[in-house]
């Protein structure tokens, strides 16, 4: 009598009625196959060759357990195929992946916590939602890597905050800060300065969120982020400058300006064309005030004086800030 083959019981979190990710491997006594059984020790030297053959043979790679596996120099590139091997939800905790070939690999929601990725080729890898805490990145190739809008710890911190678990929230934010710091240092070392700029913004954001909600330090940090993205977003300064100029122009339109001794202001008694014409004059005055040119043809009156003083100070500061941030970006 033939023995019935029991299939691996691995349940993929992304399985749906339309697309089910099922493992066709033979289950052992635990109900899982060799690769999905977390109780099986895979730290032996033979695992590397077995995994390469398993991947090349079309085996189910999602969710496999490779904790502490010795995979130095392994080739996990899906050659001559558009998409790389899919290791989503897999566990590479403390795995040795030095010099591994991981081009275009999909590691979405996987755990590479404390994995050794030194000198590995991670170009075009997808690490969205992966746990990257404590990874050794030194020397790894890192071009066009995707980590998603937020890392795993950020989502966990938000969930903890909703659950009003303040300690867990802080712990996850500290982990996120550490991950972004490591990624930033590696990107800088590899000369990928656009990416390192993004990572430093995220690193400082995580640090800000750890501060007391209504503290002065947190508010100042938020203002710096809004103004210039912690020195990494010069276009924000341009956008903010344009916004300030337009807002002040609208205020001048209604509070009035003096021109050749005559006070002008928008009024319901005037036609739409006259009010619109004066708005453009106010816009011109707002520009020369913001840039501190001060031609003197228009002068502020009443409340406009206070607005003009604030705008001139803000303009001087903002222009200087833009120069500093722009030069910093260009000299990298």
């Amino acid at each position: 009598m033939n023995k019935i083959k029991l299939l691996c019981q691995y349940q993929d979190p992304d399985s749906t009625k339309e697309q089910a990710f099922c493992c066709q491997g033979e289950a052992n006594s635990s109900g899982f196959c060799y690769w999905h059984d977390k109780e099986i020790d895979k730290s032996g030297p033979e695992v590397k060759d077995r995994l390469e053959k398993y991947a090349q043979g079309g085996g189910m790679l999602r969710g496999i357990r490779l904790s502490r596996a010795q995979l130095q120099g392994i080739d996990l590139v899906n050659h001559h195929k558009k998409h790389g091997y899919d290791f989503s939800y897999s566990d590479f905790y403390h795995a040795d992946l030095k010099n591994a070939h991981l081009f275009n690999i999909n590691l979405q929601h996987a755990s590479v916590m404390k994995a050794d990725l030194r000198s590995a080729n991670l170009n075009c890898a997808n690490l969205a939602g992966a746990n990257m805490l404590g990874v050794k990145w030194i020397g790894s190739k890192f071009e066009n890597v995707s980590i998603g809008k937020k890392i795993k710890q950020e989502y966990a911190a938000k969930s903890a905050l909703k659950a009003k678990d303040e300690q867990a929230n802080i712990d996850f934010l500290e982990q996120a800060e550490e991950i972004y710091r490591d990624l930033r240092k590696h990107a800088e070392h590899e000369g990928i300065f656009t990416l390192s700029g993004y990572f430093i913004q995220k690193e400082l954001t995580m640090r800000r969120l750890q501060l007391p909600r209504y503290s002065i330090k947190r508010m100042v940090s938020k203002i710096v982020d809004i103004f210039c993205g912690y020195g990494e977003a010069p276009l924000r300064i341009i956008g903010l400058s344009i916004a300030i100029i337009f807002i002040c122009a609208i205020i001048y339109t209604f509070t009035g300006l003096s021109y050749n001794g005559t006070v002008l202001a928008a009024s319901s008694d005037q036609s739409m064309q006259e009010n619109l014409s004066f708005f453009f004059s106010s816009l011109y005055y707002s520009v020369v005030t913001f840039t501190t040119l001060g031609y003197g043809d228009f002068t502020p009156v009443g409340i406009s004086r206070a607005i003009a003083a604030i705008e001139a100070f803000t303009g001087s500061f903002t222009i200087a800030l833009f120069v500093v941030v722009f030069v910093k970006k260009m000299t990298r």
Side-chain angles (χ1 to χ4, degrees):
M1 186 175 181
N2 293 330
K3 184 179 178 181
I4 298 174
K5 178 183 175 182
L6 298 177
L7 297 181
C8 177
Q9 296 177 4
Y10 170 70
Q11 299 291 320
D12 193 275
D14 290 343
S15 287
T16 61
K17 291 181 179 179
E18 293 76 20
Q19 184 178 22
F21 297 101
C22 299
C23 178
Q24 300 300 312
E26 185 174 356
N28 54 33
S29 59
S30 67
F32 295 94
C33 69
Y34 171 83
W35 295 107
H36 288 100
D37 192 340
K38 64 180 180 180
E39 301 300 330
I40 296 177
D41 179 22
K42 302 184 184 73
S43 60
E46 77 287 350
V47 173
K48 173 186 168 183
D49 291 334
R50 286 188 64 178
L51 180 58
E52 285 183 350
K53 291 177 182 177
Y54 181 68
Q56 292 165 7
M60 175 67 170
L61 298 170
R62 294 174 65 96
I64 65 175
R65 305 287 182 155
L66 293 164
S67 178
R68 303 183 185 278
Q70 301 301 306
L71 304 171
Q72 304 96 320
I74 192 170
D75 184 357
L76 292 177
V77 180
N78 197 6
H79 297 281
H80 311 299
K81 297 292 179 64
K82 183 177 180 180
H83 300 289
Y85 288 130
D86 188 357
F87 283 87
S88 299
Y89 298 101
S90 295
D91 181 11
F92 288 91
Y93 174 75
H94 255 301
D96 188 345
L97 289 158
K98 288 194 295 288
N99 299 301
H101 303 283
L102 308 174
F103 176 79
N104 205 26
I105 194 170
N106 185 0
L107 291 168
Q108 281 186 294
H109 307 291
S111 173
V112 288
M113 183 177 177
K114 297 186 179 180
D116 190 344
L117 287 165
R118 287 177 290 180
S119 300
N121 182 355
L122 283 160
N123 288 342
C124 301
N126 186 351
L127 289 160
N131 185 353
M132 297 176 281
L133 184 65
V135 172
K136 296 177 182 177
W137 300 105
I138 298 173
S140 63
K141 295 178 182 178
F142 210 67
E143 294 282 352
N144 300 314
V145 167
S146 173
I147 65 164
K149 292 183 178 179
K150 294 181 179 180
I151 61 176
K152 181 182 181 73
Q153 281 76 1
E154 284 185 80
Y155 288 111
K158 187 175 181 180
S159 297
L161 189 62
K162 286 183 177 180
K164 298 182 179 180
D165 189 341
E166 198 66 37
Q167 186 57 52
N169 175 56
I170 296 296
D171 287 343
F172 285 124
L173 289 172
E174 288 176 347
Q175 291 178 29
E177 182 186 353
E178 179 183 337
I179 291 168
Y180 281 125
R181 184 185 303 112
D182 290 342
L183 289 169
R184 185 254 304 170
K185 289 179 179 178
H186 180 60
E188 286 177 351
H189 184 268
E190 293 297 307
I192 314 172
F193 296 116
T194 301
L195 194 58
S196 70
Y198 170 75
F199 288 146
I200 196 171
Q201 283 182 263
K202 296 294 288 186
E203 176 189 346
L204 294 175
T205 299
M206 296 303 102
R207 189 178 302 173
R208 181 186 78 230
L209 294 176
Q210 295 172 51
L211 297 170
R213 178 164 295 189
Y214 300 108
S215 66
I216 297 297
K217 285 185 177 180
R218 180 161 174 167
M219 286 188 285
V220 170
S221 180
K222 181 63 176 178
I223 291 170
V224 173
D225 186 19
I226 292 171
F227 262 79
C228 62
Y230 295 111
E232 298 297 330
L235 291 180
R236 285 193 192 181
I237 303 174
I238 295 174
L240 188 64
S241 299
I242 293 171
I244 292 172
I245 288 169
F246 268 91
I247 291 170
C248 290
I250 293 170
I251 296 174
Y252 296 140
T253 301
F254 292 100
T255 57
L257 296 172
S258 176
Y259 181 72
N260 290 333
T262 303
V263 177
L264 305 174
S267 169
S268 58
D269 297 329
Q270 299 176 143
S271 67
M272 177 66 73
Q273 185 176 356
E274 289 175 319
N275 286 331
L276 188 61
S277 176
F278 180 61
F279 169 74
F280 285 116
S281 296
S282 298
L283 185 61
Y284 155 77
Y285 174 73
S286 185
V287 171
V288 298
T289 302
F290 185 85
T291 55
T292 66
L293 291 173
Y295 290 126
D297 45 356
F298 284 91
T299 55
V301 293
I303 298 175
S304 293
R305 292 180 177 179
I307 302 302
I310 294 170
E311 184 179 17
F313 174 80
T314 304
S316 300
F317 173 79
T318 305
I319 292 170
L321 180 63
F322 174 76
V323 171
V324 171
V325 172
F326 183 77
V327 170
K328 177 187 174 185
K329 293 285 285 186
M330 290 299 103
T331 54
R332 273 183 162 180

